[in-house]
């Protein structure tokens, strides 16, 4: 511990001298009783039974302050002094606030009276003690200790509390939690780490992890929740990296008894944004701040710099901003890929849509692989083709797909051995539900999700393939450039639909989201970072709708022949390309002034009298027709 002045304070009779003495002895620093430093005039006044006024105290308190400053230059010291009012404490800690600690011994009036009267030769008039209680202004930033504890326990508690506290706590040391902890430590933050204790399976996880990495030398590791929380500076900032869903609720319930008003919980998991709103409201009623933060980048991103999407109260975001922005990836202008998103569950909402866009980006690359494979290319050859696309259309997912395709196990490529059943953890599912709920046609996300679900029916697919696939010789012979055009076209539609969903949600929930800023924090650190995303930062400065941007529409027009050719040839050859197909289908349905919804409206009116509007009536009134007459 660096040199510190410890003032032990409280009303008469709480045992300040006893505790102060023992504490000084145990810390091996000098002890002073403040009463020994009164000037003679004060001593005379007190011995004649007159109480001191604030003017009498001024010089005395300044003397104690000088004493403290002198000892701060050495080992520090313990000074006992009643210091009942805030202004006395201000005088005592003038110029040394940063190095001063207050220990406030407190007990009830009855407890102290009994204690004083029990001391041999001591008697204190109860009105004198009462007057001390009357003027006592309890310190806010003190180590507050109940005098009913034994002196030994009191000393232990004080010594523990004097330990420097951590700035930030990380709860949950799974893959992401571990990487984020190391990232925080690498940035020089004092952190506390916690992982639950599960007999036989999760024992000493935090301590073992801390011992593994030199950068964590000054981190504090716990598997005791109360001690973990107590090790943090207030307001506490605790980031949860635990499984989304029920676990997050259980963890919050476990934490609550140890938290104080104003503390901040950050949920860095892939939580559902509705649940984040519920937790936000619930914790707000308890005066605990809750930040739902989307974190993207996987294990490596979490370690070297993820993209972070925090939502909640702006004021509480400011408290955690230095930590989150320091650990986040940096964009091309060296700005953090972390920005305040908006209130309630908006951070987790945008992370959810990020994942929806991610599902499509992944599916499109899988479809490109299917096409090239159908044209007789092996994984290495496909990787080489994808490599050649990098200068025009690079992305993180393109890069990792190239690596994946090149990975061999023995003589064969590893991808050939991987079971073709795609898993998911739910975010694509939620995005699809949300886009349906909000009435936004993000059809590609739904299509990518259902492609995963379709893949899962492996046995039924195999049976169906025997019965339903035609015996055709694949005559697919698409140019690489044509496939590239189709891929680029579909990616633009994917980004149009994803950002459109965010924009509509922003209007619906009054979040005021900034799409350009969102694109910016997705230019690095996250799974969907790409050259296209960098371009979108500028595009979204002028519009919230990609299809109104001339540059984008010109690109789509130029790429259209490619997507039409690829989709039609693949369909003729029974090659599954649901996402590529959806992209051109969407534009064929959307970029059309007159569509077939008139038939739907007529049908609805026919069987359910649901009414319809007419193109030849600008008043927009509704009509019903008796269709059978
Ligand atoms: C990210 C990822 C990450 C995780 C997904 C996987 O941005 O870092 O999206 O959050 O990889 O949860 O989701 P699925 O298991 O549903 O594919």
């Amino acid at each position: 511990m660096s040199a510190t002045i410890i003032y032990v304070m409280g009303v008469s009779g709480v045992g300040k001298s006893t505790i102060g003495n023992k504490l000084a002895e145990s810390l091996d620093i000098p002890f002073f009783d403040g009463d020994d430093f009164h000037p003679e005039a004060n001593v005379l006044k007190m011995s004649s039974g007159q109480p001191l006024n604030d003017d009498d105290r001024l010089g005395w308190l300044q003397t104690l302050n000088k004493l403290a400053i002198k000892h701060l230059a050495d080992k520090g010291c313990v000074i006992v002094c009643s210091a009942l009012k805030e202004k006395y404490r201000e005088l005592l800690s003038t110029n040394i606030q940063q190095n001063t600690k207050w220990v406030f011994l407190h007990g009830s009036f009855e407890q102290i009276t009994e204690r004083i009267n029990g001391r041999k030769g001591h008697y204190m008039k109860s009105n004198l003690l009462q007057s001390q209680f009357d003027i006592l202004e309890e310190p806010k930033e003190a180590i507050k200790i109940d005098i009913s504890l034994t002196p030994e326990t009191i000393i232990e508690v004080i010594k523990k509390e004097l330990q420097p506290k951590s700035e930030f706590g990380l709860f949950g040391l799974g893959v992401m939690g571990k990487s984020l902890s190391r990232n925080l430590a690498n940035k020089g933050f004092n952190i506390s780490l916690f992982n639950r204790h599960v007999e036989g399976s999760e024992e000493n996880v935090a301590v073992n992890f801390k011992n593994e990495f030199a950068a964590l030398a000054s981190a504090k590791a716990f598997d005791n929740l109360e001690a973990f929380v107590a090790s943090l500076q207030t307001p506490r900032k605790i980031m949860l990296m635990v499984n989304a869903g029920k676990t997050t609720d259980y963890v919050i319930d476990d934490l609550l008894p140890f938290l104080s008003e104003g503390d901040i919980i950050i949920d860095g998991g892939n939580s559902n944004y509705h649940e984040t709103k519920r937790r936000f409201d619930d914790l707000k009623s308890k005066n605990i701040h809750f930040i739902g933060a989307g974190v993207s980048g996987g294990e490596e991103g979490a370690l070297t710099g993820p993209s972070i999407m925090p939502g909640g109260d702006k004021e509480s975001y400011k408290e955690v901003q230095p930590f989150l922005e320091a650990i986040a990836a940096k964009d091309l202008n060296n700005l953090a890929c972390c920005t305040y998103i908006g209130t309630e569950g908006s951070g987790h909402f945008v992370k959810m849509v990020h994942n929806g866009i991610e599902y499509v980006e992944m599916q499109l690359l899988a479809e490109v692989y299917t096409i090239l494979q159908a044209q007789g290319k092996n994984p290495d050859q496909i990787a080489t083709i994808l490599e050649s696309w990098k200068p025009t259309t690079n992305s993180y997912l393109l890069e990792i797909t190239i690596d994946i395709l090149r990975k061999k196990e023995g003589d064969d490529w590893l991808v050939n051995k991987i079971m073709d059943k795609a898993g998911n953890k739910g975010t694509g599912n939620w995005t699809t539900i949300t886009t349906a709920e909000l009435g936004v046609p993000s059809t590609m996300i739904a299509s990518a999700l259902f492609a995963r679900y379709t893949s899962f029916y492996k046995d039924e697919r195999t049976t169906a393939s025997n019965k339903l696939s035609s015996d055709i010789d694949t005559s697919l012979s698409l140019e690489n450039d044509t496939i590239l055009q189709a891929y680029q076209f579909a990616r633009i539609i994917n980004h149009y639909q994803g950002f459109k969903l965010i924009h509509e949600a922003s209007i619906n929930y009054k979040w005021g989201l900034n799409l350009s800023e969102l694109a910016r924090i997705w230019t690095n650190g996250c799974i969907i970072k790409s050259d296209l995303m960098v371009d979108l930062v500028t595009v979204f400065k002028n519009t919230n709708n990609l299809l109104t941007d001339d540059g984008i529409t010109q690109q789509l027009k130029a790429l259209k022949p490619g997507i039409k050719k690829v989709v039609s040839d693949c369909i003729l050859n029974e090659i599954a390309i649901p996402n590529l197909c959806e992209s051109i289908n969407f534009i064929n349905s959307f970029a059309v002034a007159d569509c077939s919804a008139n038939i739907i409206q007529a049908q609805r009116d026919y069987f359910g009298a649901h009414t319809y509007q007419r193109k030849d009536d600008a008043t927009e009134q509704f009509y019903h027709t008796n269709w059978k007459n």
Side-chain angles (χ1 to χ4, degrees), residues 270 295-298 351 354-355 358-359 424-427 452 527:
N270 270 331
V295 179
S296 177
K351 175 58 177 34
H354 165 284
N355 282 24
E358 170 187 303
Y359 274 42
N424 79 92
K425 290 211 187 78
T427 45
R452 288 197 191 186
I527 305 295

Side-chain angles (χ1 to χ4, degrees), residues 84-383:
L84 301 180
K85 289 188 185 178
E86 187 58 37
K87 64 177 177 186
Y88 303 162
R89 294 191 289 269
E90 275 167 18
L91 282 166
L92 288 167
S93 59
T94 304
N95 297 329
I96 51 168
Q97 290 91 341
Q98 299 303 320
N99 308 80
T100 301
K101 294 275 179 199
W102 294 93
V103 174
F104 171 42
L105 299 177
H106 87 110
S108 68
F109 181 81
E110 295 71 28
Q111 207 178 4
I112 297 168
T113 312
E114 199 183 312
R115 204 180 247 227
I116 295 174
N117 294 343
R119 283 186 201 158
K120 255 203 161 138
H122 274 78
Y123 178 75
M124 192 180 190
K125 284 194 191 133
S126 65
N127 60 352
L128 196 58
L129 182 60
Q130 187 56 53
S131 71
Q132 295 204 1
F133 268 93
D134 291 344
I135 64 161
L136 172 66
E137 295 163 8
E138 287 205 11
K140 285 190 191 70
E141 297 295 331
I143 303 167
K144 186 175 174 180
I145 303 200
D146 192 322
I147 55 164
S148 55
L149 298 169
T150 63
E152 289 68 33
T153 310
I154 291 178
I155 300 302
E156 278 318 301
V157 174
I158 296 173
K159 281 172 73 179
K160 218 182 213 169
E161 292 284 337
L162 286 173
Q163 294 295 323
K165 305 241 172 186
S166 302
E167 300 164 282
F168 199 89
L170 210 301
F171 184 123
L173 296 173
V175 169
M176 292 292 281
K178 281 183 171 167
S179 290
L180 284 178
S181 308
R182 289 173 60 200
N183 189 344
L184 281 157
N186 288 339
K187 297 288 176 314
F189 293 117
N190 296 319
I191 54 170
S192 285
L193 308 169
F194 173 84
N195 197 83
R196 65 182 179 173
H197 176 95
V198 182
E199 208 73 30
S201 62
E202 290 178 57
E203 293 181 7
N204 300 320
V205 175
V207 172
N208 292 340
F209 167 57
K210 170 190 153 73
N211 292 337
E212 228 179 293
F213 297 97
L216 295 173
S218 62
K220 299 188 182 70
F222 301 90
D223 60 5
N224 175 297
L225 191 53
E226 185 173 3
F228 164 70
V229 176
S231 75
L232 297 167
Q233 288 170 19
T234 54
R236 300 180 183 90
K237 299 155 197 83
I238 301 175
M239 184 153 189
L240 309 181
M241 293 307 296
V242 299
N243 288 338
K246 282 267 158 274
T247 310
T248 306
D249 286 320
Y250 296 146
V251 162
I252 292 171
D253 286 347
D254 287 349
L255 268 170
L256 272 175
F258 307 117
L259 298 182
S260 320
E261 288 190 2
D263 286 351
I264 303 168
I265 298 177
I266 309 156
D267 172 17
N270 270 331
S271 291
N272 183 295
Y273 76 102
H274 291 300
E275 291 186 357
T276 300
K277 158 121 178 71
R278 170 179 56 77
R279 290 173 188 133
F280 175 89
D281 291 339
D282 186 40
L283 288 168
K284 194 172 189 156
S285 71
K286 299 178 170 77
N287 287 319
I288 303 291
H289 304 293
F290 187 66
I291 293 178
V295 179
S296 177
E299 183 178 3
E300 198 187 319
L303 177 63
T304 56
S307 169
I308 310 178
M309 298 142 247
D313 277 333
K314 201 164 193 173
E315 286 310 304
S316 32
Y317 173 66
K318 283 188 189 148
E319 297 271 352
V320 300
Q321 185 175 8
F323 302 92
L324 299 187
E325 294 195 358
I327 60 169
K330 302 293 173 283
D331 70 9
L332 289 170
N333 298 314
N334 209 29
L335 296 172
C337 289
C338 170
T339 193
Y340 172 71
I341 302 292
T343 54
E344 307 169 339
S346 57
H348 277 140
F349 182 92
V350 299
K351 175 58 177 34
M352 175 189 78
V353 181
H354 165 284
N355 282 24
I357 297 171
E358 170 187 303
Y359 274 42
V360 178
E361 294 282 278
M362 294 165 76
Q363 176 66 23
L364 289 173
L365 284 162
E367 291 179 13
V368 164
Y369 161 80
T370 310
I371 296 166
L372 291 169
Q373 194 188 35
Q375 298 193 157
K377 302 278 189 277
N378 69 33
D380 259 340
Q381 292 166 324
I382 299 174

